[in-house]
Amino acid sequence: MRLLTFSWRTAKEILRDPLNLGFGLGFPIILILLLSAIQANVPVSLFEIQSLTPGITVFGLSFMTLFSATLIAKDRESALLQRLYTTPLRAVDFILGYALPILPIALVQSIICYIVAILLGLPVTVTIIYSVLFIIPVSLFFISLGLLFGSILNVKQAGGICGALLTNLTAWFSGVWFDLELVGGFFKKIANALPFVHAVELERAVLSGNYGDIFPHIYWVLGYTAVSVIVAVLLFLRQMGTQK
Amino acid sequence: MEAIKTVGLTKKYKDVTAVCNLNLTIQQGELFSLLGVNGAGKTTTIKMLSCLTKPTVGDAFLGGNSIVSDTSKVKAIIGVSPQETAVAPNLTVKENLELMCGVHGFSKEKRKHKTEELSAQFNLTDILGRKAGKLSGGWQRRLSIAMALISEPEILFLDEPTLGLDIIARSDLWDVIRLLKGKITIILTTHYLEEAEALSDHIGIMKDGRLFALGTADELKEKAGTDKFEEAFLNIVKGVAK
């Protein structure tokens, strides 16, 4: 009951911010439309709808980090969290109350991306449903990053780190915009050590129905998700203590 | 009957002692004002009493419950309106009130009843549908106090409730606090001495983390050898008082 109340509040705060809706839902759609238009004029295999859509769904999740981090940082600055710490809400209510409501938002974002992709020619197959389901662990990674950054950054820093740095990292190191093989070398090694390209490759493998190809990418995604969840929880608990 | 009793309450941050050996008793239904210059330890005291921070040494008992070992029982009987305006900006006034009902685990019926009751008490009925973030500072403070009261607390902490408000909003808010007086125990910190003098049953003056003086406004004036409360406060804080 208490968790549900707090979760509803999180969802309302995020969904009532027009900037969140614009960036979270509008921007990925614009990217699919724009890159598909480029692909129509100058064919590039990377921008074919089967390859592009999984990449955009992963890229769009970086905005979930921004939503989550900004909301938590705002609550800390406005002392709303301080007020709520004097109520019977427990630490687990806060952590789940911030994280869980963003999961359905992330899923809706992915579904909208796939609907747009279908309108642009993506064949309708059952693998689309699987792709949406496989977005859950990837979403948890980005959501826990939001909890993590929201626990240590102020609103301005959260906007900069999550809104600019993370979205760029996700874009550059995910292999969505350009083939990492073309750059190669150190850049490719860094990209492969980060979870973004693995999340995209995982989604591409699921969408194409080549389930054998989800390995080893799923291990990278699950590993990063587990680590980021643990670090996020620890940092949130620490900030609960220090803010108190 | 005692609402609050502190026993050697102390808070240290590394080498700084924010509150030092505070021994204080506040009776049920009292309006107790904690005065002091910036950094005197008022907010830290309220944070300890409202279980937001643990004392380094000592303890305090609210309704007989320890702030160290019975935090959940203490949280069940207190309401806190922090120094900063602590409202959810994208929620409406009604949703903010309902949020507080929800986190206290109220039933649907009780939620509706308390929301209506507090809305009427704080004249919020006409703005229930407005987003809290769009309200003026005075109305946000009013909502903030209503949110603190919705759990029917026995003890209400108001940390600088009139900070940053214009004179009209401040006057309105003090009217609200006046209405609450006697119904519940109120612990208030403020920089507005004339208001503390007019409203408080007892006043504690803190400096450098210590309780420098304690008594009614008249007792403090007598102690300081003046009939003006502001002068009495200054004399006590500057150490001129007897």
Side-chain angles (χ1 to χ4, degrees):
Chain A
M1 175 67 178
R2 293 185 173 112
L3 170 62
L4 194 66
T5 301
F6 189 62
S7 299
W8 268 114
R9 180 262 159 178
T10 299
K12 283 175 185 169
E13 284 282 353
I14 290 172
L15 292 173
R16 286 180 183 173
D17 189 331
L19 274 178
N20 285 349
L21 288 179
F23 275 96
L25 296 177
F27 195 51
I29 293 171
I30 289 170
L31 284 175
I32 292 179
L33 293 171
L34 186 68
L35 294 172
S36 296
I38 293 172
Q39 158 71 14
N41 291 315
V42 187
V44 184
S45 64
L46 199 64
F47 294 161
E48 285 172 3
I49 200 73
Q50 291 89 340
S51 179
L52 177 67
T53 313
I56 297 294
T57 57
V58 170
F59 173 71
L61 294 176
S62 60
F63 293 106
M64 301 302 136
T65 305
L66 177 65
F67 299 164
S68 171
T70 308
L71 180 63
I72 296 168
K74 269 185 194 169
D75 286 352
R76 282 171 49 225
E77 283 185 15
S78 73
L80 182 67
L81 262 183
Q82 210 179 82
R83 174 199 286 283
L84 294 172
Y85 287 154
T86 65
T87 69
L89 282 175
R90 299 160 302 162
V92 66
D93 295 322
F94 285 107
I95 291 167
L96 293 179
Y98 275 123
L100 291 184
I102 303 178
L103 192 59
I105 298 174
L107 289 175
V108 168
Q109 184 195 54
S110 295
I111 290 167
I112 290 174
C113 284
Y114 278 107
I115 289 171
V116 172
I118 289 167
L119 295 174
L120 292 172
L122 181 73
V124 179
T125 63
V126 73
T127 59
I128 292 177
I129 295 171
Y130 298 152
S131 299
V132 172
L133 292 176
F134 269 83
I135 212 78
I136 292 173
V138 187
S139 304
L140 288 177
F141 165 69
F142 281 101
I143 292 167
S144 57
L145 276 189
L147 192 64
L148 190 158
F149 287 127
S151 301
I152 56 174
L153 303 176
N154 61 34
V155 177
K156 199 175 171 187
Q157 290 168 332
I161 298 281
C162 304
L165 188 64
L166 182 74
T167 48
N168 273 296
L169 275 178
T170 312
W172 287 67
F173 291 109
S174 63
V176 177
W177 316 113
F178 51 86
D179 192 341
L180 294 174
E181 297 292 338
L182 293 176
V183 186
F186 190 59
F187 188 89
K188 191 184 163 195
K189 279 182 185 167
I190 293 174
N192 281 327
L194 293 171
F196 311 114
V197 67
H198 297 291
V200 173
E201 290 303 324
L202 168 68
E203 282 295 301
R204 282 175 177 160
V206 174
L207 183 65
S208 64
N210 298 322
Y211 302 116
D213 291 346
I214 68 172
F215 303 101
H217 307 297
I218 193 164
Y219 296 138
W220 281 91
V221 170
L222 291 177
Y224 263 98
T225 301
V227 170
S228 61
V229 166
I230 291 167
V231 175
V233 168
L234 290 176
L235 286 177
F236 188 84
L237 292 176
R238 195 191 71 151
Q239 104 27 71
M240 269 185 93
T242 53
Q243 192 183 27
K244 286 175 179 181
Chain B
M1 196 178 161
E2 289 170 358
I4 299 175
K5 184 179 175 65
T6 71
V7 183
L9 198 65
T10 301
K11 182 69 184 182
K12 290 182 180 173
Y13 294 103
K14 292 181 181 167
D15 52 347
V16 176
T17 303
V19 175
C20 183
N21 193 30
L22 184 66
N23 293 292
L24 187 65
T25 301
I26 298 168
Q27 299 299 324
Q28 217 168 47
E30 254 191 67
L31 195 156
F32 184 92
S33 290
L34 214 43
L35 306 181
V37 292
N38 289 339
K42 308 182 298 285
T43 296
T44 306
T45 301
I46 286 200
K47 281 187 174 181
M48 282 193 282
L49 294 178
S50 55
C51 302
L52 278 170
T53 188
K54 280 197 190 308
T56 313
V57 181
D59 202 346
F61 300 89
L62 279 68
N65 306 301
S66 161
I67 59 164
V68 177
S69 56
D70 291 327
T71 52
S72 57
K73 285 182 183 167
V74 172
K75 286 179 179 181
I77 61 165
I78 63 168
V80 180
S81 180
Q83 204 173 90
E84 301 85 358
T85 308
V87 298
N90 279 332
L91 298 195
T92 63
V93 169
K94 187 181 178 194
E95 286 168 340
N96 267 283
L97 294 172
E98 287 175 340
L99 169 69
M100 295 311 290
C101 291
V103 299
H104 281 95
F106 289 179
S107 65
K108 199 175 171 184
E109 292 74 30
K110 189 171 181 184
R111 189 181 297 207
K112 188 170 179 288
H113 167 69
K114 288 303 297 181
T115 304
E116 285 172 358
E117 182 190 323
L118 268 297
S119 305
Q121 188 179 348
F122 284 82
N123 290 329
L124 298 169
T125 313
D126 292 340
I127 55 162
L128 279 177
R130 284 183 62 187
K131 280 189 182 177
K134 303 284 183 194
L135 301 176
S136 67
W139 283 101
Q140 285 194 10
R141 292 273 176 186
R142 200 177 265 255
L143 171 61
S144 180
I145 297 175
M147 287 166 74
L149 280 170
I150 212 151
S151 62
E152 300 172 339
E154 293 172 23
I155 301 167
L156 175 66
F157 292 99
L158 299 174
D159 194 5
E160 302 278 5
T162 53
L163 190 75
L165 298 187
D166 63 41
I167 190 162
I168 306 273
R170 194 150 55 93
S171 166
D172 286 349
L173 206 53
W174 280 99
D175 287 341
V176 168
I177 294 167
R178 204 171 277 119
L179 286 174
L180 295 171
K181 197 182 163 185
K183 293 176 186 162
I184 56 172
T185 309
I186 302 174
I187 316 301
L188 174 79
T189 73
T190 181
H191 282 294
Y192 297 105
L193 301 179
E194 74 282 12
E195 291 157 335
E197 181 190 8
L199 281 174
S200 311
D201 296 304
H202 285 95
I203 296 168
I205 297 178
M206 292 186 78
K207 186 189 176 189
D208 299 331
R210 292 176 185 276
L211 188 65
F212 249 51
L214 177 66
T216 63
D218 288 338
E219 285 167 353
L220 292 174
K221 283 189 284 192
E222 192 183 329
K223 185 182 177 185
T226 172
D227 57 354
K228 290 179 181 162
F229 187 70
E230 188 173 325
E231 208 174 296
F233 173 79
L234 288 171
N235 286 352
I236 289 167
V237 168
K238 288 177 178 174
V240 182
K242 289 177 267 183

